[in-house]
Amino acid sequence: MGGVLAGCDTLPNSGPVQSQITAEQKNPKKNTLGFKIVRITPELVSWLDEEKLPLLSTLNTTSYTPSHNDRIGPGDNLAISIYEIGDGVFTGSVSTSAVSDPSNLTSMNGVGGGPPVGAVETRLPVVQVNNEGNITIPYVGKVHVAGMTISEISQRVSSSLKHMSSRPAVVVRPVLDETNVVIVYGAVARTGRIPLTPSQERVIDIIALAGGPKQLSEDTIVQLTRGDRVVEAPLKLIEQNPEQDIVLQPGDRLELLQEPRTFTVFGASSKVTEVSFGTPTLTLAEGMSRVGGVSDGQGNPSAVYLFRFEDRDIATKLGLQIDPGQQSTPVVYQLDLMNAQDYFLAQKFPMKNHDLIYVANAGINSFNKFFNLLSTIISPGITAAWLAK
């Protein structure tokens, strides 16, 4: 009997048992990657939770007050028209034309009353706001306009001309607005600059103006960069939670990411397969349930492992050695499903793209396989009597 059972060690298995994994970790010849086995603890779960990028709503905690998105800044191009009566400063020097009905200019001008009938319009060449926020007007010189509205610029230029022209009126029109825009790129139908308006567009508005995502799925992530801060959230989450659909600011950079996330399962689980996340977030407990959990009679519930190349920050907190410049290190997380606490931890442990779950074989698994093999070639009665010897 002993000699026959010794053959159990030669039977194929679905993977190593718990003792083999532990032994390989300590064997430098087999553990050339230098992986470490780490128990899943409440502290580890809290570290992983803190590691997540903050949601979009966290940007609203700043002191920023949404503006009307009509401020001029460096890079903007302006078309300026000056209206004078009689022989003005600009009359005849640039393209001019008489104004017969100035009523339509009043609202654009921002200066009450608008130019009188008979005023001569002088259209200056388009000017660009320089890096210092200035424009140059003939006979006036430099005028600082950065951070001002169109109406305020009109009034400033008009005031500068009053001492040299009779009742000057100024109309300013933005030709190319490079300041009040959001940059949209990634997995959208149309990438590029999208201007912001006084309506104060939100995240979903801008995505819609960009033609929407190329492919809408649970893996569509919105990443928003504002200054030196980067936040992100699943598009579905933003659609379902209005507080995440924040008002965008000039200079924001919005990227749509489309990266299908999967994890794989090996060993003595009920199902060996590759599985899509299918939801914006996924926990280890949810991942195990997708494949039916540990296989009865074959798997060892106290030896469930998750293989991952862990980020540098978490590895450092775990006390693992990591070379300078190395961004990740192999870690094997162990979960004991014979421990009630670990079920709670599994509900909080976040899974990442390309994670690998492995369920170790139970120690009795080899004997079961050997017994089943005998059962296929010998009648059940003979088998039982033979094994009893």
Side-chain angles (χ1 to χ4, degrees):
M1 175 66 179
V4 177
L5 288 179
C8 294
D9 294 333
T10 66
L11 292 175
N13 227 333
S14 58
V17 296
Q18 182 177 11
S19 59
Q20 291 175 301
I21 296 176
T22 303
E24 286 186 10
Q25 175 198 218
K26 301 176 181 178
N27 187 341
K29 293 183 178 180
K30 292 190 175 181
N31 185 9
T32 56
L33 289 176
F35 71 84
K36 298 294 183 182
I37 300 176
V38 177
R39 286 274 300 156
I40 295 179
T41 63
E43 189 176 28
L44 171 62
V45 170
S46 66
W47 289 339
L48 292 171
D49 189 61
E50 293 171 358
E51 186 187 33
K52 298 176 185 175
L53 283 176
L55 295 176
L56 275 60
S57 58
T58 58
L59 290 179
N60 281 341
T61 60
T62 63
S63 58
Y64 170 76
T65 301
S67 67
H68 294 294
N69 299 325
D70 58 357
R71 304 285 172 174
I72 296 301
D76 290 343
N77 291 338
L78 303 175
I80 301 176
S81 295
I82 299 175
Y83 299 85
E84 302 173 285
I85 296 177
D87 294 331
V89 175
F90 296 92
T91 304
S93 61
V94 195
S95 175
T96 61
S97 61
V99 178
S100 58
D101 181 10
S103 60
N104 65 325
L105 299 176
T106 303
S107 60
M108 298 170 58
N109 187 345
V111 181
V117 175
V120 177
E121 176 191 16
T122 301
R123 297 177 183 174
L124 301 180
V126 173
V127 295
Q128 186 179 66
V129 182
N130 64 20
N131 291 335
E132 297 177 350
N134 300 324
I135 60 174
T136 300
I137 304 294
Y139 306 107
V140 174
K142 290 183 180 179
V143 179
H144 189 74
V145 298
M148 301 177 66
T149 64
I150 292 298
S151 176
E152 291 168 346
I153 297 172
S154 298
Q155 295 181 38
R156 174 165 291 188
V157 175
S158 180
S159 298
S160 300
L161 291 170
K162 281 184 178 179
H163 69 285
M164 64 181 73
S165 181
S166 177
R167 296 179 61 188
V170 179
V171 173
V172 179
R173 296 178 297 273
V175 176
L176 179 61
D177 190 346
E178 296 287 354
T179 301
N180 302 303
V181 298
V182 172
I183 307 299
V184 184
Y185 59 107
V188 291
R190 296 187 299 275
T191 62
R193 300 174 182 267
I194 295 183
L196 298 174
T197 71
S199 298
Q200 298 183 4
E201 287 78 8
R202 297 177 178 271
V203 173
I204 297 300
D205 300 328
I206 292 300
I207 293 175
L209 290 171
K214 291 181 179 179
Q215 179 182 357
L216 182 60
S217 72
E218 297 289 351
D219 293 317
T220 303
I221 305 295
V222 176
Q223 188 173 96
L224 177 61
T225 303
R226 177 173 295 172
D228 59 354
R229 295 193 61 189
V230 179
V231 296
E232 69 175 30
L235 180 57
K236 286 289 185 68
L237 180 66
I238 299 173
E239 293 173 337
Q240 297 167 2
N241 296 272
E243 69 272 13
Q244 299 301 327
D245 191 18
I246 64 174
V247 174
L248 294 179
Q249 298 180 23
D252 283 348
R253 304 178 71 87
L254 191 152
E255 180 181 10
L256 244 64
L257 305 173
Q258 189 70 39
E259 298 181 357
R261 297 164 300 154
T262 62
F263 67 94
T264 50
V265 183
F266 288 94
S269 66
S270 296
K271 186 178 182 182
V272 176
T273 184
E274 180 183 34
V275 185
S276 298
F277 273 43
T279 55
T281 59
L282 188 71
T283 66
L284 179 53
E286 292 168 334
M288 287 294 297
S289 68
R290 298 277 181 88
V291 295
V294 179
S295 176
D296 289 341
Q298 293 184 345
N300 182 356
S302 64
V304 175
Y305 298 95
L306 186 140
F307 290 71
R308 171 186 295 173
F309 281 93
E310 191 56 89
D311 294 337
R312 181 183 186 89
D313 290 343
I314 298 297
T316 302
K317 290 180 179 179
L318 290 171
L320 304 180
Q321 292 185 351
I322 184 167
D323 296 333
Q326 186 179 348
Q327 296 304 313
S328 62
T329 188
V331 177
V332 180
Y333 293 118
Q334 182 180 359
L335 188 73
D336 182 2
L337 294 182
M338 296 299 289
N339 185 336
Q341 174 181 269
D342 282 20
Y343 280 88
F344 290 103
L345 295 177
Q347 294 180 59
K348 296 292 185 179
F349 188 93
M351 294 196 62
K352 295 183 180 181
N353 193 23
H354 303 311
D355 276 351
L356 186 153
I357 297 175
Y358 173 75
V359 180
N361 287 275
I364 198 173
N365 191 21
S366 296
F367 176 80
N368 288 339
K369 287 188 174 183
F370 179 72
F371 184 81
N372 291 335
L373 176 62
L374 290 180
S375 297
T376 60
I377 57 177
I378 307 175
S379 67
I382 297 176
T383 304
W386 179 75
L387 288 175
K389 295 182 180 179

